[in-house]
Protein backbone atom coordinates (compact mmCIF):
# COMPACT_ATOMS: atom_id res chain seq x y z
CA UNK A 1 0.00 0.00 0.00
CA UNK A 2 2.85 2.40 0.86
CA UNK A 3 4.39 1.75 -2.56
CA UNK A 4 1.19 2.84 -4.32
CA UNK A 5 0.84 5.92 -2.11
CA UNK A 6 4.39 7.08 -2.86
CA UNK A 7 3.87 6.48 -6.58
CA UNK A 8 0.60 8.43 -6.67
CA UNK A 9 1.98 11.33 -4.62
CA UNK A 10 5.02 11.57 -6.91
CA UNK A 11 2.77 11.43 -9.97
CA UNK A 12 0.39 14.09 -8.62
CA UNK A 13 3.19 16.43 -7.53
CA UNK A 14 4.83 16.22 -10.98
CA UNK A 15 1.52 16.87 -12.76
CA UNK A 16 0.85 19.99 -10.67
CA UNK A 17 4.39 21.23 -11.20
CA UNK A 18 4.35 20.65 -14.97
CA UNK A 19 0.98 22.29 -15.69
CA UNK A 20 2.16 25.95 -15.60
CA UNK A 21 3.98 27.12 -18.72
CA UNK A 22 7.72 26.84 -18.34
CA UNK A 23 10.72 26.73 -20.66
CA UNK A 24 10.33 23.00 -21.31
CA UNK A 25 6.61 23.33 -22.08
CA UNK A 26 7.40 26.18 -24.49
CA UNK A 27 10.05 24.07 -26.23
CA UNK A 28 7.58 21.18 -26.61
CA UNK A 29 4.88 23.50 -28.01
CA UNK A 30 7.22 25.19 -30.49
CA UNK A 31 8.79 21.93 -31.64
CA UNK A 32 5.37 20.37 -32.21
CA UNK A 33 4.12 23.39 -34.16
CA UNK A 34 7.25 23.85 -36.27
CA UNK A 35 8.03 20.15 -36.73
CA UNK A 36 5.97 17.30 -35.24
CA UNK A 37 5.06 15.43 -32.05
CA UNK A 38 7.69 12.76 -32.69
CA UNK A 39 10.50 15.32 -32.45
CA UNK A 40 8.85 16.91 -29.41
CA UNK A 41 8.92 13.50 -27.71
CA UNK A 42 12.72 13.55 -27.87
CA UNK A 43 12.63 16.67 -25.71
CA UNK A 44 9.93 15.27 -23.40
CA UNK A 45 11.73 12.04 -22.44
CA UNK A 46 15.04 13.64 -21.56
CA UNK A 47 13.47 16.67 -19.84
CA UNK A 48 11.51 14.35 -17.55
CA UNK A 49 14.67 12.36 -16.86
CA UNK A 50 16.65 15.51 -16.02
CA UNK A 51 13.91 16.64 -13.62
CA UNK A 52 14.44 13.44 -11.63
CA UNK A 53 17.96 14.70 -10.88
CA UNK A 54 16.47 17.90 -9.47
CA UNK A 55 14.05 15.86 -7.36
CA UNK A 56 16.87 13.75 -5.95
CA UNK A 57 18.77 16.95 -5.10
CA UNK A 58 15.67 18.32 -3.42
CA UNK A 59 15.27 15.12 -1.39
CA UNK A 60 18.89 15.05 -0.23
CA UNK A 61 19.62 18.75 0.21
CA UNK A 62 16.15 20.12 0.87
CA UNK A 63 16.86 22.19 3.96
CA UNK A 64 20.32 23.38 2.81
CA UNK A 65 19.05 24.58 -0.58
CA UNK A 66 16.05 26.31 0.99
CA UNK A 67 18.34 28.30 3.29
CA UNK A 68 20.73 29.10 0.41
CA UNK A 69 17.96 30.55 -1.77
CA UNK A 70 16.62 32.67 1.08
CA UNK A 71 20.10 34.01 1.86
CA UNK A 72 21.00 34.75 -1.78
CA UNK A 73 18.41 37.14 -3.09
CA UNK A 74 20.40 37.55 -6.33
CA UNK A 75 19.35 34.07 -7.39
CA UNK A 76 15.67 35.01 -7.21
CA UNK A 77 16.34 38.16 -9.26
CA UNK A 78 18.27 36.09 -11.81
CA UNK A 79 15.26 33.82 -12.32
CA UNK A 80 13.02 36.87 -12.82
CA UNK A 81 15.40 38.38 -15.41
CA UNK A 82 15.54 35.09 -17.34
CA UNK A 83 11.73 34.93 -17.47
CA UNK A 84 11.55 38.55 -18.62
CA UNK A 85 14.14 38.09 -21.38
CA UNK A 86 12.44 34.95 -22.72
CA UNK A 87 9.08 36.72 -22.67
CA UNK A 88 10.40 39.74 -24.58
CA UNK A 89 12.09 37.52 -27.19
CA UNK A 90 8.83 35.64 -27.78
CA UNK A 91 6.84 38.88 -28.02
CA UNK A 92 9.29 40.27 -30.58
CA UNK A 93 8.27 37.48 -32.95
CA UNK A 94 11.84 36.52 -33.87
CA UNK A 95 11.90 33.15 -35.61
CA UNK A 96 14.58 31.16 -37.38
CA UNK A 97 12.56 29.46 -40.07
CA UNK A 98 11.21 29.75 -43.61
CA UNK A 99 7.47 30.48 -43.61
CA UNK A 100 4.66 29.40 -45.93
CA UNK A 101 1.72 31.49 -47.20
CA UNK A 102 -0.03 31.12 -43.82
CA UNK A 103 3.01 32.55 -42.02
CA UNK A 104 3.79 29.14 -40.49
CA UNK A 105 7.29 27.69 -40.21
CA UNK A 106 7.88 24.98 -42.79
CA UNK A 107 11.70 24.74 -42.77
CA UNK A 108 13.71 25.37 -39.64
CA UNK A 109 16.94 27.21 -40.33
CA UNK A 110 20.00 25.37 -39.16
CA UNK A 111 21.97 26.89 -36.30
CA UNK A 112 25.73 27.21 -36.55
CA UNK A 113 26.08 25.05 -33.45
CA UNK A 114 23.15 22.64 -33.68
CA UNK A 115 21.93 20.88 -30.55
CA UNK A 116 20.01 17.64 -30.55
CA UNK A 117 16.45 17.52 -29.25
CA UNK A 118 17.54 15.06 -26.58
CA UNK A 119 20.27 17.39 -25.31
CA UNK A 120 17.91 20.37 -25.45
CA UNK A 121 15.32 18.54 -23.36
CA UNK A 122 17.90 17.42 -20.81
CA UNK A 123 19.38 20.92 -20.54
CA UNK A 124 15.98 22.60 -20.12
CA UNK A 125 14.94 20.02 -17.54
CA UNK A 126 18.15 20.27 -15.53
CA UNK A 127 18.97 23.99 -15.68
CA UNK A 128 15.65 25.09 -14.27
CA UNK A 129 15.84 26.97 -10.93
CA UNK A 130 12.08 27.49 -10.81
CA UNK A 131 11.43 23.75 -10.96
CA UNK A 132 14.09 23.10 -8.32
CA UNK A 133 12.45 25.65 -6.00
CA UNK A 134 9.08 23.98 -6.61
CA UNK A 135 10.42 20.57 -5.61
CA UNK A 136 12.13 21.99 -2.53
CA UNK A 137 8.78 23.42 -1.47
CA UNK A 138 7.01 20.13 -2.21
CA UNK A 139 9.56 18.08 -0.25
CA UNK A 140 9.23 20.41 2.72
CA UNK A 141 5.44 20.20 2.59
CA UNK A 142 5.33 16.42 2.18
CA UNK A 143 7.77 15.79 5.01
CA UNK A 144 5.79 17.99 7.37
CA UNK A 145 2.25 16.93 6.44
CA UNK A 146 1.92 13.72 4.41
CA UNK A 147 4.84 11.32 3.99
CA UNK A 148 8.51 10.98 4.94
CA UNK A 149 10.74 11.57 1.96
CA UNK A 150 14.44 11.76 2.73
CA UNK A 151 17.59 9.67 2.45
CA UNK A 152 16.58 7.67 5.54
CA UNK A 153 13.44 6.33 3.86
CA UNK A 154 13.49 2.87 2.26
CA UNK A 155 14.89 3.10 -1.27
CA UNK A 156 11.84 1.29 -2.74
CA UNK A 157 9.56 4.10 -1.58
CA UNK A 158 11.83 6.81 -2.95
CA UNK A 159 12.12 4.88 -6.24
CA UNK A 160 8.33 4.61 -6.58
CA UNK A 161 8.01 8.33 -5.88
CA UNK A 162 10.55 9.08 -8.64
CA UNK A 163 8.83 6.75 -11.10
CA UNK A 164 5.50 8.42 -10.37
CA UNK A 165 7.06 11.86 -10.88
CA UNK A 166 8.62 10.77 -14.18
CA UNK A 167 5.33 9.54 -15.62
CA UNK A 168 3.49 12.60 -14.31
CA UNK A 169 5.91 14.90 -16.12
CA UNK A 170 5.69 12.80 -19.29
CA UNK A 171 1.90 12.92 -19.27
CA UNK A 172 1.65 16.71 -19.04
CA UNK A 173 4.38 17.45 -21.57
CA UNK A 174 2.90 14.93 -24.01
CA UNK A 175 -0.50 16.56 -23.47
CA UNK A 176 0.99 19.94 -24.39
CA UNK A 177 2.47 18.38 -27.52
CA UNK A 178 -0.76 16.70 -28.65
CA UNK A 179 -2.83 19.80 -27.94
CA UNK A 180 -0.43 21.93 -29.99
CA UNK A 181 -0.53 19.37 -32.80
CA UNK A 182 -4.34 19.59 -32.98
CA UNK A 183 -4.34 23.39 -32.89
CA UNK A 184 -1.74 23.88 -35.61
CA UNK A 185 -4.02 22.08 -38.10
CA UNK A 186 -7.06 24.22 -37.24
CA UNK A 187 -5.60 27.67 -36.58
CA UNK A 188 -3.61 29.74 -39.07
CA UNK A 189 -0.53 31.65 -37.93
CA UNK A 190 -0.56 29.62 -34.71
CA UNK A 191 3.19 29.83 -34.12
CA UNK A 192 3.17 33.60 -33.77
CA UNK A 193 0.01 33.60 -31.64
CA UNK A 194 1.29 30.96 -29.25
CA UNK A 195 4.64 32.72 -28.91
CA UNK A 196 2.97 36.03 -28.13
CA UNK A 197 0.59 34.52 -25.57
CA UNK A 198 3.48 32.74 -23.85
CA UNK A 199 5.56 35.91 -24.04
CA UNK A 200 2.83 37.97 -22.35
CA UNK A 201 2.44 35.33 -19.62
CA UNK A 202 6.18 35.22 -18.93
CA UNK A 203 6.47 39.01 -18.81
CA UNK A 204 3.49 39.20 -16.42
CA UNK A 205 4.98 36.49 -14.21
CA UNK A 206 8.35 38.26 -14.10
CA UNK A 207 6.72 41.60 -13.21
CA UNK A 208 4.70 39.93 -10.46
CA UNK A 209 7.78 38.18 -9.08
CA UNK A 210 9.96 41.28 -9.04
CA UNK A 211 7.15 43.28 -7.39
CA UNK A 212 6.88 40.62 -4.71
CA UNK A 213 10.64 40.63 -4.16
CA UNK A 214 10.79 44.41 -3.78
CA UNK A 215 7.67 45.07 -1.70
CA UNK A 216 7.09 41.86 0.29
Amino acid sequence: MNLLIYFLIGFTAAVIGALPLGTTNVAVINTTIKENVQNALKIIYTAALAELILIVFAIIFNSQIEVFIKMNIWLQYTIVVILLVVGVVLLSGRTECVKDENDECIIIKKRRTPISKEMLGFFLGLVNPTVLIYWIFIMSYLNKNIIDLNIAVEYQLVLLFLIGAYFGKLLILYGYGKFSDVLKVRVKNLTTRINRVIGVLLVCISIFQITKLIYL
Side-chain angles (χ1 to χ4, degrees):
M1 188 63 180
N2 273 344
L3 294 176
L4 180 60
I5 290 174
Y6 272 75
F7 175 85
L8 291 176
I9 291 176
F11 181 87
T12 304
V15 166
I16 295 172
L19 279 173
L21 280 172
T23 52
T24 307
N25 306 60
V26 171
V28 169
I29 291 170
N30 283 333
T31 301
T32 303
I33 292 172
K34 295 176 182 178
E35 300 176 39
N36 50 56
V37 178
Q38 286 69 32
N39 283 335
L41 282 172
K42 297 175 183 178
I43 296 175
I44 292 170
Y45 291 135
T46 52
L49 181 62
E51 188 158 324
L52 293 186
I53 298 175
L54 297 184
I55 297 173
V56 171
F57 263 85
I59 291 174
I60 298 174
F61 304 109
N62 179 26
S63 57
Q64 295 95 322
I65 295 174
E66 193 172 4
V67 171
F68 176 80
I69 292 173
K70 288 180 179 178
M71 293 179 62
N72 293 272
I73 193 69
W74 62 267
L75 181 59
Q76 300 178 50
Y77 280 103
T78 300
I79 295 170
V80 170
V81 170
I82 291 171
L83 290 175
L84 183 61
V85 170
V86 173
V88 170
V89 169
L90 290 174
L91 277 173
S92 69
R94 181 176 180 271
T95 55
E96 296 187 17
C97 63
V98 177
K99 297 184 178 182
D100 61 13
E101 65 276 7
N102 295 321
D103 202 30
E104 296 292 351
C105 294
I106 54 176
I107 302 174
I108 308 300
K109 292 181 180 179
K110 298 294 184 180
R111 297 177 183 271
R112 291 183 180 179
T113 54
I115 181 172
S116 68
K117 293 292 187 298
E118 292 84 359
M119 284 299 298
L120 176 63
F122 189 82
F123 177 80
L124 292 176
L126 186 62
V127 185
N128 202 326
T130 305
V131 173
L132 178 58
I133 292 170
Y134 168 78
W135 282 109
I136 291 170
F137 169 79
I138 288 296
M139 295 307 161
S140 178
Y141 177 81
L142 292 177
N143 281 316
K144 291 176 182 176
N145 299 281
I146 302 178
I147 59 174
D148 291 325
L149 200 61
N150 50 62
I151 56 176
V153 175
E154 293 181 18
Y155 76 91
Q156 297 96 328
L157 299 177
V158 175
L159 181 61
L160 262 294
F161 180 89
L162 293 174
I163 293 173
Y166 181 78
F167 281 105
K169 183 76 172 183
L170 283 184
L171 176 66
I172 296 302
L173 291 181
Y174 181 71
Y176 268 103
K178 290 297 291 183
F179 183 67
S180 303
D181 193 45
V182 171
L183 281 182
K184 78 175 182 180
V185 176
R186 300 181 180 180
V187 182
K188 291 184 178 181
N189 199 19
L190 182 63
T191 303
T192 303
R193 294 183 183 183
I194 287 289
N195 282 346
R196 286 176 179 169
V197 170
I198 295 170
V200 169
L201 288 173
L202 291 178
V203 170
C204 290
I205 291 170
S206 63
I207 292 172
F208 172 77
Q209 289 294 334
I210 198 166
T211 303
K212 188 171 69 172
L213 286 171
I214 293 173
Y215 295 104
L216 296 181

